[in-house]
Every structure is written in structure tokens, then in C-alpha cells.
Amino acid sequence: MENYSLFFVGMVACLISIASATPGIATFYTKYVPSACFGNQDQGKVIVAAGDALWDNGTVCGKMFTVTCTGPRNLVPHPCTGKSVTVKIVDHCPRCPSTIDLSQEAFTIIANPVAGIINVDYKQYA
């Protein structure tokens, strides 16, 4: 009985984790400095710019998010690698067609860059 209880608790935790992710759209960019959050300070290569829906007047600057590709948005079949990436918000992407604009390096971890635009789930990293 104890093993079933532990299994049940594990399953509930997984479902809560999945349910807390937010669906969105991701694209990628290649010029990382200067950024809206950190000016001319280099923040590395696994970073992200927030679209207008996430930007919230810059309150997301420096926050970490885990992003997972969930599927295609165009004719490129099966763009997802099956991996997730944790990125730091360093910039704003005003009027972007996406929720998040990943660095090319971050995008490549989760999807084939030939796709250019993908569906994602993202959540703030605790």
C-alpha cells in the first residue's frame, strides 16, 4: 500500500508541474548586446527576449524560464528535439510575432533552427 501512495504522490506532482506551464510561441534572434535589461553587459548565449505579453514593463528582466518545444507552427515537420532549456530574460522584443524570442543557441537546444518558429510551453524557473 505504501508503494502505491508514493506512486500516486509522484504522479500528482508531475501533473501539477505540466499544468503550470504556459503555452506560447518562440522564435530566435542572433544579436545579443546591447539588451534592454543589461545594456552592454554580455549575459551569455543561452538567453531570451520577452515579447510584449511577457515583458510587463521590464519586471521580467533577469528572471529564468524553462522552455520546451511542443510542436511546429509551419511546414517543417517534427522540429522538436525533446529537450528543454532554461534561459534568462535579458531583452525586450517589441511587436514580435512570438511570446519569447530565444537566442539561436537556446532555440537550437529545443528545436531545429530551420523551423524558425515553434509552439512552446514555458514556466518560470523556481
Side-chain angles (χ1 to χ4, degrees):
M1 181 68 174
E2 186 175 307
N3 287 340
Y4 289 115
S5 297
L6 186 57
F7 177 75
F8 179 74
V9 169
M11 290 299 295
V12 169
C14 286
L15 290 173
I16 290 170
S17 174
I18 291 169
S20 66
T22 304
I25 300 168
T27 52
F28 69 87
Y29 69 115
T30 57
K31 186 175 184 268
Y32 311 139
V33 177
S35 70
C37 299
F38 298 98
N40 288 317
Q41 295 177 352
D42 186 358
Q43 296 297 307
K45 303 280 186 217
V46 185
I47 54 177
V48 64
D52 291 331
L54 191 58
W55 181 245
D56 193 24
N57 292 320
T59 61
V60 295
C61 282
K63 294 193 176 169
M64 305 290 287
F65 284 79
T66 300
V67 184
T68 305
C69 177
T70 59
R73 285 202 63 84
N74 55 27
L75 297 177
V76 175
H78 314 294
C80 302
T81 65
K83 297 178 183 177
S84 294
V85 64
T86 299
V87 291
K88 180 180 182 179
I89 293 187
V90 301
D91 209 351
H92 180 211
C93 187
R95 298 173 304 283
C96 273
S98 59
T99 313
I100 54 174
D101 198 23
L102 295 163
S103 63
Q104 185 173 10
E105 291 81 357
F107 191 98
T108 302
I109 291 170
I110 64 169
N112 181 345
V114 171
I117 187 168
I118 55 173
N119 290 316
V120 294
D121 279 343
Y122 64 95
K123 64 181 174 180
Q124 191 166 343
Y125 185 74

